[in-house]
Amino acid sequence: LMSLIDSVLSSVDRCAEVTRRLLNFARRSETRLQYIDLEAVVTEVFDFMDKEAEYRCIGIEIDIAEDLPRFTSDIGRLQEILLNLFTNAFAAMDDGGGMTVKARVTKRRQIEIGVSDTGHGIPQSDVGRVFEPFFSTKIGKGGTGLGLSITYGLVQELGGDIRVNSKVGEGTTFIVTLPMNPPKTMGGQNEHVTTGRGDEDTSG
């Protein structure tokens, strides 16, 4: 009986933690620019997937360059982009697969984030359509075909670009490229940037 009680309490704690994270996501629904620590954001988003990864024996590798600087972006949009890509990668893989998240600074001083999976891959005839609304390769798996379309729109809003490389039977990599600073047209928010700790940066 005591072991069952401990299991129930552990589940309650888990539910409370998930609820807290969901509330944090909801509060970030409005445009809010701040200096991004990408590794912290990736870790926070992956926390939503860790139990599934453990249950399905999916290996995760996070490779964020040590010299990756903080950059200005909308954290809510970035979180949704990453969550959509992680969810898509998990859906593409059988149990025992692997997902890798890499981030680097390009020669053009842009942030490049790659999310790779060892899933079934996408036929070349379909690669050009993956960002179309309602297009899905998850036949019989309940995919809506909206996740990647929404992701494409979010990346565009941040002034970035997303592309895909895939090979059937080997896996898929989605590569998101973001500017160090968002476009001035994004909600007219550039004059107000927070540090992510609740204080306003007035350094100019």
Side-chain angles (χ1 to χ4, degrees):
L1 180 60
M2 291 304 297
S3 65
L4 289 174
I5 291 174
D6 288 341
S7 178
V8 170
L9 291 175
S10 176
S11 296
V12 169
D13 288 340
R14 172 71 178 169
C15 289
E17 180 66 14
V18 169
T19 301
R20 182 188 64 80
R21 291 171 186 158
L22 287 171
L23 287 172
N24 284 339
F25 268 53
R27 293 190 189 103
R28 292 165 178 168
S29 60
E30 296 181 0
T31 300
R32 186 180 66 163
L33 301 181
Q34 65 184 66
Y35 294 114
I36 302 294
D37 179 342
L38 184 61
E39 186 168 8
V41 175
V42 168
T43 300
E44 182 179 4
V45 174
F46 176 65
D47 282 345
F48 281 98
M49 318 286 294
D50 60 350
K51 288 300 180 183
E52 182 179 355
E54 181 180 347
Y55 176 74
R56 295 179 55 194
C57 299
I58 292 176
I60 305 295
E61 179 183 354
I62 298 176
D63 181 12
I64 309 294
E66 292 184 0
D67 61 348
L68 191 82
R70 290 192 173 201
F71 60 100
T72 304
S73 194
D74 180 275
I75 191 169
R77 285 175 170 84
L78 181 57
Q79 286 176 323
E80 188 171 352
I81 289 166
L82 292 173
L83 185 59
N84 286 346
L85 292 179
F86 292 0
T87 301
N88 188 76
F90 273 49
M93 293 186 289
D94 295 326
D95 295 355
M99 184 182 80
T100 302
V101 182
K102 293 185 178 181
R104 298 287 185 272
V105 178
T106 69
K107 293 181 179 180
R108 299 178 62 183
R109 299 299 295 171
Q110 294 176 312
I111 303 295
E112 184 177 272
I113 307 167
V115 179
S116 303
D117 65 66
T118 59
H120 51 70
I122 304 170
Q124 286 302 305
S125 58
D126 291 339
V127 166
R129 302 184 60 198
V130 294
F131 299 116
E132 293 179 6
F134 305 109
F135 178 80
S136 176
T137 60
K138 304 181 184 68
I139 304 300
K141 293 186 178 181
T144 63
L146 288 175
L148 290 176
S149 176
I150 291 171
T151 300
Y152 180 87
L154 291 168
V155 172
Q156 292 289 305
E157 288 177 14
L158 294 180
D161 182 52
I162 182 170
R163 62 188 190 276
V164 57
N165 297 320
S166 188
K167 191 170 183 179
V168 174
E170 295 187 10
T172 301
T173 298
F174 286 92
I175 302 169
V176 176
T177 305
L178 297 174
M180 287 286 191
N181 293 287
K184 294 181 179 180
T185 56
M186 200 183 86
Q189 297 288 321
N190 277 43
E191 65 269 15
H192 181 82
V193 179
T194 63
T195 64
R197 298 185 299 273
D199 53 333
E200 184 176 351
D201 178 35
T202 56
S203 61

